[in-house]
């Protein structure tokens, strides 16, 4: 006895009641294990969260969202046999696969987020510790014609550090000078003391963010991005600190006070220095968010620019 075949209607292909184009249709919070290979190092296993979208023309009621999962799984399966070195390239491959599967779409977007563990040493005792940073990548594929696609890729990181406020520190320095004068310390010794001992100030937990967007096969080092963010604040922070380490972190931060604006400008200068190979059209986004300790609000600064414009500004200032 033959089992009858029931043909179900393709509801997604129906015409919608309100025929307008939709910019993004897709799925979010898709979790996948991704193995990233590293040259001369052990591979890294990441638990990645994907957001996956295509555009939808006005004549279709819905997108076939199962194709989004198929595109991710297809690319990841290929990665088992071929090395994946860049998470932004992985996003690019998925985005292009989406356009291949969604023949009606002209634009596909893939966003990846994950945590990434870096090894560090405590500043004084040199104990090995692990620090977690947030990393992210994006890719947008645009259909130019039947056979050609244009792809933009973005890679970035968010790193936590600490900053010390220069303004409050100057107030405390002035207070210390007056107290030393009141107890009879001469000007030469006051100047020497203030030079040797950094004054108290309020601190912030800072979050530095850098992303770089490129086209084609341009390589952007994620490790360099992380190092630039770490070095932009008053001090790095560490998960594990002994007393001597703690003293060094506090001393370092108070010897290097920075406003939120200083952090962004420091990152911009070091991005230009570290990424000399990037084309002038590469887009750099730099953000700093400082969580204030004596206010309820946060401090924020940002610069978005082509790296060619940053190069010009920094060269003029040199």
């Amino acid at each position: 006895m033959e089992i009858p075949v029931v043909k179900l209607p393709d509801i997604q292909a129906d015409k919608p009641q309100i025929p307008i184009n939709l910019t993004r249709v897709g799925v979010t919070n898709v979790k996948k294990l991704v193995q990233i290979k590293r040259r001369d190092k052990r591979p890294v296993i990441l638990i990645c969260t994907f957001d996956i979208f295509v555009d939808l023309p006005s004549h279709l009621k819905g997108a076939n969202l199962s194709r989004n999962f198929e595109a991710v799984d297809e690319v990841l399966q290929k990665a088992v046999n071929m090395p994946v070195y860049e998470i932004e390239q992985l996003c690019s491959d998925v985005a292009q696969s989406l356009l291949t599967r969604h023949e009606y779409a002209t634009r596909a977007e893939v966003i990846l987020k994950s945590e990434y563990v870096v090894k560090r040493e405590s500043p004084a005792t040199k104990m090995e510790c692990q620090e977690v940073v947030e990393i992210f990548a994006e890719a947008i594929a645009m259909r130019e014609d039947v056979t050609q696609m244009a792809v933009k890729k973005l890679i970035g990181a968010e790193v936590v550090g600490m900053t010390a406020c220069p303004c409050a520190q100057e107030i405390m320095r002035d207070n210390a000078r007056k107290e030393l004068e009141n107890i009879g310390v001469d000007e030469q010794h006051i100047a020497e003391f203030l030079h040797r001992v950094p004054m108290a100030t309020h601190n912030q937990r800072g979050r530095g963010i850098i992303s770089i967007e490129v086209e084609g096969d341009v390589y952007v080092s994620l490790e360099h991005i992380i190092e630039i963010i770490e070095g932009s604040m008053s001090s790095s922070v560490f998960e594990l600190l002994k007393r001597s380490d703690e003293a060094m972190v506090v001393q370092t931060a108070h010897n290097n006070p920075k406003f939120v604006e200083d952090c962004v400008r420091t990152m911009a200068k070091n991005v230009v220095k570290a990424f000399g190979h990037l084309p002038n059209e590469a887009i750099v986004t730099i953000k700093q968010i400082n969580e204030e300790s004596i206010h309820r609000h946060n401090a924020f600064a940002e610069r978005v620019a082509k790296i060619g414009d940053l190069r010009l500004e920094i060269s003029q200032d040199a």
Side-chain angles (χ1 to χ4, degrees):
M1 173 179 167
E2 292 188 5
I3 300 176
V5 177
V6 178
K7 291 187 177 180
L8 298 176
D10 186 359
I11 302 299
Q12 287 95 340
D14 289 350
K15 185 176 180 179
Q17 291 182 342
I18 305 173
I20 62 172
N21 298 323
L22 299 180
T23 306
R24 296 198 301 177
V25 176
V27 292
T28 63
N29 203 37
V30 178
K31 295 188 182 297
K32 295 287 184 180
L33 278 178
V34 176
Q35 178 174 281
I36 303 297
K37 297 184 183 297
R38 298 183 296 172
R39 294 171 178 84
D40 303 322
K41 295 182 180 180
R42 291 185 301 175
V44 175
I45 305 297
L46 301 177
I47 301 175
C48 298
T49 301
F50 289 89
D51 295 343
I52 308 160
F53 309 103
V54 294
D55 63 335
L56 188 68
S58 60
H59 67 275
L60 293 179
K61 187 177 183 66
N64 190 331
L65 297 184
S66 66
R67 296 178 186 177
N68 292 10
F69 294 98
E70 291 170 358
V72 175
D73 288 335
E74 176 189 60
V75 173
L76 292 180
Q77 186 59 41
K78 288 181 180 178
V80 172
N81 302 316
M82 297 178 64
V84 174
Y85 292 101
E86 306 164 25
I87 56 175
E88 68 271 32
Q89 185 58 49
L90 176 63
C91 291
S92 173
D93 293 343
V94 174
Q96 292 177 77
S97 179
L98 285 171
L99 283 188
T100 301
R101 292 174 180 273
H102 295 273
E103 65 284 348
Y104 51 81
T106 60
R107 182 183 188 275
E109 180 178 359
V110 178
I111 302 170
L112 178 156
K113 297 178 182 179
S114 185
E115 292 183 331
Y116 183 62
V117 175
V118 294
K119 291 183 178 181
R120 294 292 183 262
E121 285 186 341
S122 59
T125 60
K126 304 302 179 183
M127 291 186 303
E128 288 191 359
C129 53
Q130 294 182 345
E131 305 298 330
V132 177
V133 302
E134 303 289 332
I135 61 173
F136 54 91
E138 299 178 16
I140 296 176
M142 301 288 291
R143 196 190 305 277
E144 295 185 326
D145 54 42
V146 177
T147 60
Q148 296 293 320
M149 300 179 192
V151 183
K152 293 182 179 180
K153 302 181 296 183
L154 177 148
I155 180 72
E158 176 179 327
V159 181
V160 174
M162 89 180 264
T163 55
C165 177
C167 183
Q169 190 176 60
E170 190 60 34
I171 296 171
M172 297 302 294
R173 181 179 286 108
D174 187 57
N175 288 344
R177 176 181 292 278
K178 291 177 182 177
E179 290 297 327
L180 290 169
E181 289 173 349
N182 289 338
I183 62 176
V185 180
D186 62 81
E187 182 60 33
Q188 180 179 347
H189 285 92
I190 290 175
E192 185 177 354
F193 174 81
L194 294 178
H195 175 72
R196 291 189 181 187
V197 180
M199 291 294 100
T201 186
H202 68 93
N203 305 128
Q204 303 90 14
R205 174 174 289 181
R207 291 186 285 128
I209 304 165
I210 295 176
S211 65
I212 299 176
E213 179 186 296
V214 297
E215 296 184 26
D217 296 327
V218 180
Y219 172 68
V220 178
S221 170
L222 180 61
E223 297 287 347
H224 285 168
I225 288 177
I226 293 171
E227 290 169 1
I228 289 170
I229 301 172
E230 285 181 323
S232 70
M233 290 176 258
S234 297
S235 174
S236 298
V237 296
F238 301 86
E239 192 67 24
L240 181 61
L241 293 173
K242 295 294 186 181
R243 294 182 68 179
S244 57
D245 296 311
E246 186 173 346
M248 185 172 288
V249 168
V250 173
Q251 180 93 6
T252 299
H254 285 73
N255 277 328
N256 187 31
K258 285 193 173 185
F259 289 125
V260 66
E261 298 91 340
D262 295 323
C263 298
V264 169
R265 288 173 171 137
T266 300
M267 284 188 274
K269 180 178 180 179
N270 289 328
V271 163
V272 168
K273 181 179 179 181
F275 293 101
H277 68 287
L278 292 183
N280 284 333
E281 297 302 307
I283 298 174
V284 181
T285 300
I286 303 170
K287 301 179 186 179
Q288 180 74 21
I289 305 165
N290 285 352
E291 299 172 359
E292 296 281 10
S293 59
I294 63 170
H295 305 291
R296 294 185 182 275
H297 58 259
N298 297 336
F300 178 88
E302 179 182 44
R303 178 64 193 272
V304 181
K306 294 179 180 179
I307 196 169
D309 294 336
L310 289 178
R311 286 172 178 149
L312 181 60
E313 289 181 45
I314 291 171
S315 66
Q316 290 176 341
D317 183 60

